[in-house]
Amino acid sequence: MLSSVTSYLASIDPILAAFYASLFTWILTASGAALVFFFRGMNRTLLDGALGFTGGVMVAASFWSLLAPGIEMSPGEGFVKVFPAVIGFASGALFIFGLDKVLPHLHINFKYSEKEGLESTWHRTTLLVLAITLHNIPEGLAVGVLFGGIAADMPGASIGGAVALALGIGIQNFPEGLAVSMPLRRQGVSRFKCWWYGQLSAAVEPIAAVAGALAVTFFTPILPYALAFAAGAMIFVVIEEVVPETQLESNTDIATLGFVLGFIVMMTLDVGLG
């Protein structure tokens, strides 16, 4: 099944492949959010473990799927070879840092008074969705950049690696959708609205994926920078948002084990398929 999907994506336009792959990650987010129709709540320990898993996938993807290929395809030797990765990684982290300071948002299980970004009177529900949306931008961008590298026929960019990244991000998007819908349900929001907002948080991924693929297709020399940019953005999200959310209760060990499992899963997918 997986080999058939990989073969199909390899046979079509890489921009379209990036769109399809990011649609898959969006669908899994919607599927996770849909659990709100069947359950009344979510155990906090399970949520922290799931968020830890998400962080592990993102960190592993940042290295195995983005930084390592980016460095491999960079010209030169020694410090010259790593220069694009340094610039791209720092730029990606600073990009999300800037969005974090500007975009009004509220992290899961934080009080309304702890909202971040510019001052806003937006509803708590909107702020929660925006927090996860901010989280999903680098994920969609990462998928698009890898497929764009395939279109540019760059060494180190493989269809297997791109599929592995999309699969890993999709897997961790499932609990992510649930992490949006369940807290909203506890606030008394209707089940349909909980699902709607949960899936909406990942709607940005296909947009970011297509934008990333188009960018590196038309400006091939930026690919090593773009890969590192996506990695820097994802690492910033993990350290600034995902990890702190797992430390609010007494489930740090569960969250850490979830992180380790997520890292192993993503590393295995990337090496096995890439």
Side-chain angles (χ1 to χ4, degrees):
M1 176 65 177
L2 189 56
S3 60
S4 299
V5 172
T6 303
S7 299
Y8 173 71
L9 292 176
S11 68
I12 63 176
D13 179 77
I15 308 299
L16 186 59
F19 177 70
Y20 286 159
S22 57
L23 273 184
F24 166 75
T25 64
W26 183 9
I27 289 170
L28 281 188
T29 304
S31 300
L35 291 181
V36 76
F37 291 111
F38 307 101
F39 300 98
R40 301 182 62 179
M42 183 178 184
N43 183 278
R44 177 69 205 196
T45 301
L46 181 60
L47 175 61
D48 286 339
L51 288 174
F53 180 87
T54 292
V57 169
M58 293 177 72
V59 169
S62 296
F63 176 75
W64 295 98
S65 299
L66 300 169
L67 275 177
I71 293 172
E72 180 184 341
M73 64 183 63
S74 298
E77 298 294 336
F79 290 114
V80 174
K81 191 173 185 63
V82 79
F83 182 78
V86 171
I87 297 300
F89 191 88
S91 299
L94 290 174
F95 173 72
I96 299 298
F97 172 79
L99 283 182
D100 188 65
K101 297 303 179 185
V102 173
L103 184 69
H105 61 284
L106 177 67
H107 299 304
I108 301 167
N109 297 306
F110 277 56
K111 298 178 182 178
Y112 185 80
S113 59
E114 296 176 296
K115 62 183 183 295
E116 300 179 8
L118 297 177
E119 187 59 35
S120 169
T121 58
W122 290 349
H123 193 273
R124 178 184 178 89
T125 300
T126 303
L127 296 174
L128 280 169
V129 173
L130 286 175
I132 301 297
T133 300
L134 178 67
H135 181 189
N136 285 330
I137 291 174
E139 295 175 3
L141 185 63
V143 172
V145 166
L146 265 187
F147 277 100
I150 297 167
D153 199 26
M154 292 291 289
S158 68
I159 187 66
V163 169
L165 178 61
L167 185 58
I169 287 177
I171 291 171
Q172 62 94 26
N173 272 6
F174 186 86
E176 202 169 83
L178 186 61
V180 177
S181 62
M182 282 301 182
L184 294 179
R185 183 60 182 161
R186 288 200 299 269
Q187 295 171 30
V189 179
S190 71
R191 292 181 189 274
F192 178 79
K193 283 188 176 181
C194 289
W195 171 80
W196 176 257
Y197 288 123
Q199 64 82 30
L200 191 63
S201 66
V204 69
E205 290 195 10
I207 299 171
V210 170
L214 285 172
V216 299
T217 299
F218 288 105
F219 304 100
T220 304
I222 72 167
L223 182 57
Y225 296 90
L227 289 169
F229 181 96
M234 286 212 289
I235 292 296
F236 185 92
V237 165
V238 171
I239 301 303
E240 202 275 337
E241 297 183 18
V242 178
V243 170
E245 286 172 13
T246 68
Q247 307 301 303
L248 297 177
E249 303 289 341
S250 57
N251 301 317
T252 55
D253 288 342
I254 297 297
T256 301
L257 291 173
F259 183 98
V260 171
L261 178 61
F263 191 99
I264 290 172
V265 168
M266 186 65 237
M267 177 178 64
T268 303
L269 286 173
D270 191 87
V271 175
L273 294 175

